[in-house]
C-alpha cells in the first residue's frame, strides 16, 4: 500500500485526495494542511505542517511513497529539490522549472527565447520606468505582477490612467506584496481563454481535458479577477483545430525549451491560453494543477490518477496514461461576500448533505469546529456536476449550490453559458 502526502489547503487538494482515495493501491493519505473536506474523509488525515523541513521529516517518518504538491509557493521555494535530495518520490517541478510560474518575467523571456506564441511584452523593476512606458503604449493593455499573487495579480487597463493606477498599486502601495517587485506589461489579446492542464516528464507533455475557467467575480466576465469562480470541461469551443495549433505553437516549443534548459522534472504544466482568429496564444504557465480546473477535470478521468503520476515519474508518459469519460463537468464556486477583497470568516455552512444529493462537493475555504463546518476563506466550496451533456452538468451544479447556505454566499450564475 502506498502512502501519499498532498500539500495544499484548497478545493484542488480535496479533489486530489478524493481521486487518490478511490485507488485500492493507496493506503493512508495525508493532506498538509488540508481543510474541513479532507478532514471528513476516510483514510485521510490532515497534518498542520507548512514548512519544507517539517514536511520532509514527516514524509520520512510516515513512510510516504509519493508526495503530490498542489500549492505553488512551496514549489517556487524548492520543495521538490529538497525531497529528491533525500531520495523521496515527489510530483512537481524543481525550483528551476517552477520559475515558469514564480516569475512572469522569466516565463515571458523563456517563451520569447524558444518561439512560444505569446503576446508582446516589456518588464520593469523600477516604478518610474514602468510609468514612463504606459504613457505611450497601445490600449487596452495588461499589467501583471511578476511574482505569485494567487491568480489575482492581473489588471486589464483601458487607458493610461488605469494603467498608472495598476502599476502604482503593484509597485508603490504593494497590493500584492513582493509579487509586485517587478511588473510585466503586455499586449492585450482579444479572444476567448482556455485552460489546458498537462502532465510533463521532461521528455513528453501530455494534455488533459480542456477547460474554460471564469476568472472574474462578476457575471458576464465583469469585476475583479479572482482565483476562479467556476469551470466547464471540456471547453465548448476548443476543438481539434485549436488543439493542433496549441501543439505546434506552444506545446512543442515549450518542450524544446524544457529540454534545452535541462529542466528535469515530473509534474504538471498548466497552459493558460487565449484563442482568436490569429491562432492560439500562451498567456501564462502555472506549474501545478489549477484551482478550480482540477475539480472539474478529475471527475472526468476514468482511470486512476496514480497510473499517470507513476508514468511521469518513470519518464514514460504517453497519451495512453489517461482515459476520459464521454461526459461534461461543471464546477460552480461558492465564495464569501466581499471576495476577492475583504470578507468575513467563521460563518456556519448548512445543508451540505442536501447539496451532495445533486453533485460532488469539494470543500475549499472551510474548517471544522466542534462538529460544525465554518467558512475560513474567500472561496468556500465547489459544486461539481457531471453528466452526458454540458447543460445537464450545469443543472446539477446549480441544483446543488442552491441548497448550500451561509451568510453572504456569493456565486456566479453564468458558469458554462
Amino acid at each position: 500500500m502506498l502512502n501519499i502526502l498532498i500539500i495544499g489547503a484548497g478545493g484542488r487538494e480535496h479533489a486530489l485526495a478524493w481521486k487518490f482515495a478511490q485507488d485500492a493501491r493507496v493506503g493512508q493519505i495525508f493532506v498538509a494542511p488540508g481543510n474541513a473536506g479532507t478532514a471528513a474523509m476516510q483514510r485521510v488525515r490532515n497534518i498542520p505542517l507548512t514548512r519544507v523541513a517539517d514536511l520532509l521529516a514527516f514524509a520520512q517518518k510516515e513512510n510516504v511513497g509519493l508526495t503530490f504538491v498542489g500549492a505553488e509557493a512551496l514549489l517556487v521555494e524548492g520543495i521538490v529539490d529538497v525531497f529528491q535530495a533525500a531520495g523521496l518520490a515527489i510530483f512537481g517541478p524543481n525550483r528551476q522549472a517552477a520559475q515558469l510560474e514564480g516569475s512572469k518575467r522569466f516565463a515571458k523571456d523563456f517563451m520569447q527565447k524558444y518561439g512560444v506564441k505569446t503576446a508582446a511584452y516589456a518588464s520593469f523593476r523600477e516604478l518610474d520606468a514602468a510609468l514612463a512606458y504606459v504613457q505611450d503604449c497601445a490600449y487596452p493593455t495588461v499589467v501583471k505582477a511578476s511574482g505569485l499573487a494567487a491568480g489575482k495579480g492581473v489588471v486589464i487597463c483601458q487607458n493610461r490612467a488605469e494603467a498608472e493606477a495598476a502599476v502604482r498599486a503593484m509597485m508603490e502601495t504593494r497590493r500584492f506584496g513582493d509579487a509586485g517587485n517587478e511588473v510585466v506589461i503586455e499586449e492585450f489579446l482579444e479572444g476567448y481563454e482556455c485552460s489546458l492542464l498537462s502532465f510533463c516528464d521532461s521528455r513528453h507533455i501530455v494534455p488533459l481535458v480542456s477547460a474554460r475557467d471564469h476568472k472574474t467575480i462578476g457575471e458576464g466576465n465583469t469585476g475583479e479577477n479572482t482565483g476562479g469562480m467556476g469551470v466547464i470541461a471540456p471547453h465548448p469551443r476548443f476543438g481539434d483545430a485549436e488543439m493542433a495549433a496549441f501543439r505546434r505553437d506552444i506545446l512543442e516549443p515549450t518542450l524544446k525549451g524544457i529540454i534545452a534548459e535541462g529542466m528535469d522534472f515530473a509534474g504538471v504544466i498548466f497552459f493558460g491560453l487565449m484563442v482568436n482568429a490569429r491562432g492560439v496564444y500562451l498567456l501564462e504557465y502555472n506549474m501545478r494543477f489549477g484551482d478550480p480546473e482540477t475539480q472539474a477535470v478529475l471527475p472526468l478521468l476514468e482511470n486512476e490518477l496514480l497510473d499517470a503520476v507513476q508514468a511521469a515519474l518513470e519518464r514514460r508518459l504517453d497519451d495512453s496514461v489517461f482515459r476520459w469519460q464521454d461526459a461534461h463537468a461543471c464546477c460552480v464556486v461558492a465564495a464569501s461576500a466581499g471576495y476577492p477583497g475583504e470578507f468575513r470568516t467563521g460563518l456556519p455552512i448548512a445543508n451540505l448533505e442536501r447539496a451532495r444529493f445533486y453533485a460532488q462537493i469539494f470543500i475549499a475555504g472551510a474548517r471544522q469546529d466542534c462538529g460544525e463546518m465554518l467558512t475560513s476563506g474567500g472561496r468556500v466550496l465547489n459544486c461539481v456536476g457531471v453528466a452526458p451533456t454540458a447543460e445537464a452538468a450545469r443543472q446539477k451544479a446549480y441544483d446543488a449550490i442552491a441548497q448550500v447556505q451561509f451568510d453572504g454566499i456569493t456565486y456566479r450564475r453564468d458558469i458554462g453559458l
Side-chain angles (χ1 to χ4, degrees):
M1 301 288 278
L2 184 73
N3 292 340
I4 294 178
L5 170 62
I6 300 170
I7 299 175
R12 166 184 53 208
E13 286 72 36
H14 188 185
L16 286 165
W18 168 83
K19 185 62 179 176
F20 278 126
Q22 298 169 24
D23 194 325
R25 298 167 295 178
V26 173
Q28 183 73 49
I29 300 173
F30 305 100
V31 188
N35 58 39
T38 52
M41 295 179 63
Q42 294 183 353
R43 298 167 55 206
V44 178
R45 190 177 113 208
N46 286 353
I47 56 170
L49 302 177
T50 56
R51 295 176 59 248
V52 172
D54 295 336
L55 291 162
L56 174 64
F58 178 88
Q60 291 172 322
K61 178 184 175 184
E62 297 294 336
N63 192 31
V64 169
L66 170 66
T67 298
F68 194 111
V69 188
E72 58 269 31
L74 291 183
L75 292 170
V76 173
E77 190 177 329
I79 187 173
V80 170
D81 308 72
V82 172
F83 272 55
Q84 287 179 337
L88 297 182
I90 183 167
F91 187 74
N94 55 24
R95 187 197 300 266
Q96 179 194 16
Q99 290 182 83
L100 289 170
E101 177 169 9
S103 168
K104 289 185 173 59
R105 188 266 314 157
F106 178 90
K108 294 291 286 191
D109 290 350
F110 175 94
M111 296 174 208
Q112 185 179 65
K113 181 177 181 180
Y114 292 103
V116 177
K117 192 167 184 174
T118 191
Y121 73 101
S123 60
F124 302 92
R125 288 193 174 96
E126 300 296 329
L127 174 63
D128 288 345
L131 290 174
Y133 181 83
V134 301
Q135 299 302 306
D136 299 312
C137 69
Y139 287 95
T141 197
V142 184
V143 179
K144 298 180 176 180
S146 183
L148 297 177
K152 306 180 189 72
V154 178
V155 181
I156 298 172
C157 305
Q158 300 298 326
N159 51 53
R160 187 175 70 186
E162 290 183 8
E164 287 181 350
V167 168
R168 289 189 182 278
M170 293 178 191
M171 303 190 80
E172 190 172 53
T173 61
R174 316 285 293 171
R175 180 181 178 189
F176 303 110
D178 289 345
N181 288 344
E182 182 175 41
V183 298
V184 172
I185 303 175
E186 68 179 37
E187 169 194 12
F188 174 77
L189 296 174
E190 292 276 3
Y192 67 85
E193 291 191 40
C194 177
S195 300
L196 203 54
L197 306 176
S198 66
F199 271 33
C200 176
D201 65 2
S202 301
R203 294 166 176 78
H204 314 87
I205 299 175
V206 179
L208 281 63
V209 168
S210 62
R212 178 188 171 195
D213 187 17
H214 299 66
K215 293 290 290 184
T216 64
I217 189 66
E219 292 168 16
N221 298 320
T222 59
E224 289 191 76
N225 267 352
T226 72
M229 293 300 295
V231 171
I232 192 84
H235 196 298
R237 297 175 65 184
F238 195 83
D240 292 343
E242 290 78 15
M243 179 61 81
F246 161 73
R247 288 182 180 276
R248 180 188 66 242
D249 297 333
I250 296 172
L251 186 153
E252 291 176 6
T254 294
L255 183 58
K256 176 184 174 183
I258 285 172
I259 293 170
E261 297 290 332
M263 295 180 179
D264 187 18
F265 71 97
V268 171
I269 304 180
F270 173 145
F271 295 94
L273 308 175
M274 179 66 75
V275 185
N276 61 28
R278 293 187 290 157
V280 180
Y281 289 79
L282 180 63
L283 298 177
E284 64 178 0
Y285 297 110
N286 290 330
M287 300 305 290
R288 37 73 192 178
F289 265 132
D291 186 336
E293 288 90 348
T294 303
Q295 294 91 299
V297 169
L298 284 186
L300 297 177
L301 181 61
E302 275 191 341
N303 61 302
E304 301 297 355
L305 180 61
L306 183 58
D307 294 333
V309 172
Q310 289 178 330
L313 290 169
E314 295 167 9
R315 305 303 194 264
R316 52 177 180 84
L317 267 182
D318 59 43
D319 290 336
S320 69
V321 301
F322 296 107
R323 295 193 312 274
W324 301 101
Q325 294 185 51
D326 184 14
H328 299 256
C330 179
C331 170
V332 182
V333 174
S336 300
Y339 176 78
E342 293 185 4
F343 52 85
R344 295 168 59 200
T345 60
L347 304 171
I349 304 169
N351 298 337
L352 282 181
E353 288 308 315
R354 285 192 212 164
R356 289 190 180 101
F357 178 79
Y358 297 96
Q360 177 67 44
I361 308 298
F362 294 122
I363 303 300
R367 60 182 175 85
Q368 287 281 1
D369 187 5
C370 299
E372 187 173 32
M373 191 175 292
L374 307 176
T375 65
S376 63
R379 292 186 296 171
V380 176
L381 57 86
N382 316 126
C383 297
V384 182
V386 177
T389 68
E391 180 53 39
R394 187 174 181 276
Q395 189 65 52
K396 284 187 175 183
Y398 278 103
D399 285 346
I401 207 166
Q403 310 302 314
V404 179
Q405 293 182 353
F406 60 86
D407 189 20
I409 184 172
T410 300
Y411 58 92
R412 285 181 54 166
R413 286 154 174 84
D414 62 345
I415 304 302
L417 291 182

